[in-house]
Amino acid sequence: MPHRSLFARLTACSLLALLLLQQPAQAAETPRYKVCWSIYAGWMLWGFMADQGIIDKWAKKYGIEIQVEQVPDYVASIEQYTAGQYDACAMTNMDALTIPAAAGVDSTALIVGDFSAGADGILVRGNNKELKDLKGKTILLVENSVSHYLLSRALEWAHLSESDVTVENVSDKDLAQVWRSGKGDALVTWNPILADLRQDGDSVQVFSSHHIPGEILDLLVINSNTLAAHPELGRALTGAWFEGMRLMGLPNEQGQAARAQMAAAADTTPADFDEQLKTIRSFYAPRSALAFASSEKMPALMERVADFADAHKLLGSDGNGLQSLGIAFSGSRVLGSSAQVKLRFDPAYMQMATDNKL
């Protein structure tokens, strides 16, 4: 009996030890993913959802963990995503094409959140009141970004070319400081930098994305291989996004409180943040996002963006990037090389959100 009792105790201890050893291993098996974003009216929701537990709620639903991080420098956030430090990143359509896709990272526009309709603009100093006055001027912007694209479109409107101006590259985190130091004759940027500088009262806005609706899209871009291997990540992110969007869009006190929190995170007032939201066409309902992402005009919009990128050798030094890089859209439509698709506008997850299947 003593021997049996000792054996039983030893067996119980062994089982307990085995269970204790297994628990950390099981916890380590929970898939973990990282998402990054930078300050912009259309992306403040990511930080808010992380703070409010909405991200965790949807992650737990699918048995995963999602870490949402803010990166101060917008371009750096995309470069870190491209380098594999993040699984998904908030970025524009052009930057998705010219940075990760051009670098060979197969990426999917999981969510089309909005398009800029005045959130990007051009400011000029002094007596320069019209676009034609840009001729011969030095223009500050983040080179090869959507700001550069906006400048190109503005110059088209003014019947000018880039050879008529001098472009000076400035990081978005330094742009306001450099402009306020007196450098440059004009500046191209986005909110909240644009809204902040406009309040100074010493410059005039002569052009904005309001003139080119739909051409600058704000997306959540995800690594296509990660999405294919882990569709639960796509489901969780999409579900969280549209829950957050519904909350942000509420006209009641609950919606006002949510927007006020985002305004504080963007270092601005609730009134100013609401004004910034008016400069983007947000898709508060998944049905609206789905309709835009699936529309017939998407390839034409992206072709214009791709032409700019190619002209600036952003898709390859030969200026023929679309011969070796493709952009896929719904309905099996492809712009460029169908054999080397590196950017995908796949509305599948927005369709699931529309159908309440997340």
Side-chain angles (χ1 to χ4, degrees):
M1 285 295 292
H3 292 288
R4 269 185 77 149
S5 178
L6 176 63
F7 176 77
R9 288 199 300 271
L10 289 172
T11 302
C13 290
S14 298
L15 288 171
L16 178 61
L18 182 61
L19 287 171
L20 289 173
L21 287 171
Q22 286 180 334
Q23 284 177 353
Q26 290 171 345
E29 291 174 1
T30 302
R32 293 179 173 86
Y33 306 98
K34 293 177 67 177
V35 178
C36 63
W37 63 282
S38 54
I39 289 184
Y40 173 70
W43 296 327
M44 297 307 299
L45 186 61
W46 288 111
F48 172 80
M49 292 190 300
D51 292 341
Q52 294 297 307
I54 296 174
I55 295 292
D56 285 344
K57 167 191 166 183
W58 281 88
K60 287 177 182 177
K61 179 176 180 178
Y62 289 101
I64 61 177
E65 293 182 13
I66 302 174
Q67 183 176 344
V68 176
E69 296 181 359
Q70 178 192 340
V71 177
D73 187 312
Y74 168 63
V75 175
S77 72
I78 307 172
E79 291 173 342
Q80 289 171 32
Y81 161 79
T82 303
Q85 297 177 35
Y86 292 95
D87 300 291
C89 178
M91 66 184 80
T92 69
N93 53 325
M94 196 192 91
D95 296 321
L97 175 64
T98 61
I99 303 179
V105 177
D106 193 326
S107 298
T108 296
L110 180 72
I111 300 167
V112 179
D114 62 71
F115 63 77
S116 179
D120 299 74
I122 301 177
L123 299 180
V124 296
R125 296 189 194 275
N127 296 320
N128 305 311
K129 304 296 186 184
E130 299 179 22
L131 277 177
K132 63 181 180 60
D133 295 326
L134 291 176
K135 187 172 184 178
K137 300 299 190 295
T138 297
I139 302 175
L140 310 181
L141 51 75
V142 179
E143 196 170 13
N144 299 330
S145 70
V146 291
S147 292
H148 204 159
Y149 175 77
L150 184 69
L151 172 64
S152 175
R153 294 288 281 119
L155 292 173
E156 287 180 33
W157 278 53
H159 303 291
L160 298 172
S161 67
E162 282 196 48
S163 62
D164 292 317
V165 301
T166 299
V167 171
E168 184 173 331
N169 183 40
V170 182
S171 166
D172 59 294
K173 64 183 179 66
D174 299 324
L175 206 49
Q177 180 181 350
V178 173
W179 177 251
R180 284 174 170 145
S181 74
K183 294 182 180 179
D185 303 300
L187 169 143
V188 192
T189 189
W190 56 84
N191 282 333
I193 305 170
L194 179 65
D196 185 37
L197 293 178
R198 286 180 63 182
Q199 291 177 4
D200 290 352
D202 59 353
S203 56
V204 176
Q205 181 169 298
V206 294
F207 192 81
S208 79
S209 50
H210 173 77
H211 296 88
I212 53 168
E215 294 184 32
I216 299 177
L217 301 174
D218 299 317
L219 316 169
L220 182 73
V221 172
I222 187 169
N223 183 287
S224 299
N225 294 329
T226 301
L227 181 62
H230 304 284
E232 67 275 13
L233 175 60
R235 287 174 172 267
L237 289 171
T238 306
W241 176 260
F242 285 109
E243 178 178 333
M245 286 296 285
R246 283 191 292 273
L247 177 57
M248 186 174 77
L250 289 175
N252 57 19
E253 290 184 2
Q254 188 179 12
Q256 291 172 0
R259 294 191 297 275
Q261 185 170 327
M262 290 179 234
D267 195 25
T268 190
T269 65
D272 181 62
F273 187 71
D274 283 347
E275 285 301 311
Q276 290 184 39
L277 287 177
K278 292 177 183 178
T279 65
I280 59 178
R281 171 62 169 85
S282 298
F283 300 119
Y284 289 100
R287 186 176 304 278
S288 302
L290 173 65
F292 187 90
S294 306
S295 69
E296 294 293 327
K297 64 182 178 182
M298 276 295 293
L301 292 175
M302 283 305 301
E303 185 171 18
R304 184 184 286 277
V305 172
D307 287 345
F308 167 86
D310 242 355
H312 289 76
K313 309 295 178 65
L314 301 179
L315 305 181
S317 58
D318 59 1
N320 295 307
L322 286 182
Q323 292 183 12
S324 56
L325 186 157
I327 308 170
F329 305 90
S330 63
S332 300
R333 297 169 293 175
V334 175
L335 176 64
S337 172
S338 58
Q340 293 291 328
V341 172
K342 295 299 179 184
L343 180 58
R344 306 168 190 273
F345 287 85
D346 182 0
Y349 290 83
M350 290 177 281
Q351 182 72 64
M352 292 179 201
T354 300
D355 296 339
N356 294 315
K357 293 183 177 179
L358 290 177

